[in-house]
Amino acid sequence: MARAVFKILRTLQLLVKLRIYTSFPFTPIWCTKLAVKIKKEIKEFVDERDWDQFHTPKNLSMALSVEASELLEIFQWQKADEFKSATEKQKEMIKDEIADIFYYLVRISEKLNINIEEALLNKMKKNKEKYPKESVKGKAIKN
């Protein structure tokens, strides 16, 4: 349990550094309760509809791709900084698509028994090695 809480805190620290998550204060108990609440909400939703039978990694990956495309569609044909003046309706649409993407990520990770926090931190470590800040800072390049 303590190890799981530590992983969640490390992930939150990373998200704060990346300016993705900025809500304060947070405590290990709150973080754990939030993760449990999200997984419980998703499980109840799926179970009530008897959809688990359809949630194979292939189907979930396809659905995730569709949702990511729906998010992309919101920004399609916008000028570079047009997102800064998004309407409330557009912001709500963006939130909905991000939530759908998150939903499918949680479902896939559960199906494949993948710890999302651990996977993210491991991938970030690989990215730091692949893209050392000394050689890529301020450059939009892909190795």
Side-chain angles (χ1 to χ4, degrees), residues 110 118 133:
E110 287 178 334
E118 188 176 290
K133 61 184 173 189

Side-chain angles (χ1 to χ4, degrees), residues 58-80:
K58 176 192 77 79
N59 290 347
L60 292 167
S61 297
M62 290 168 51
L64 175 62
S65 176
V66 169
E67 296 302 338
S69 294
E70 289 177 7
L71 178 63
L72 178 61
E73 184 179 26
I74 296 168
F75 297 103
Q76 186 177 15
W77 311 119
Q78 283 189 358
K79 294 184 175 105

Side-chain angles (χ1 to χ4, degrees), residues 88-135:
E88 286 305 312
K89 181 180 177 186
Q90 288 171 321
K91 288 179 185 177
E92 192 62 30
M93 290 168 57
I94 293 165
K95 287 179 194 178
D96 286 348
E97 298 311 328
I98 289 172
D100 287 340
I101 291 165
F102 182 69
Y103 167 86
Y104 286 114
L105 286 174
V106 171
R107 289 296 293 152
I108 292 169
S109 69
E110 287 178 334
K111 284 291 185 176
L112 298 174
N113 197 27
I114 293 172
N115 180 313
I116 293 175
E117 297 89 355
E118 188 176 290
L120 173 68
L121 293 173
N122 287 339
K123 181 60 177 172
M124 291 304 299
K125 183 178 178 183
K126 290 176 187 177
N127 286 344
K128 286 179 182 180
E129 292 170 6
K130 186 174 181 179
Y131 304 105
K133 61 184 173 189
E134 298 79 19
S135 59

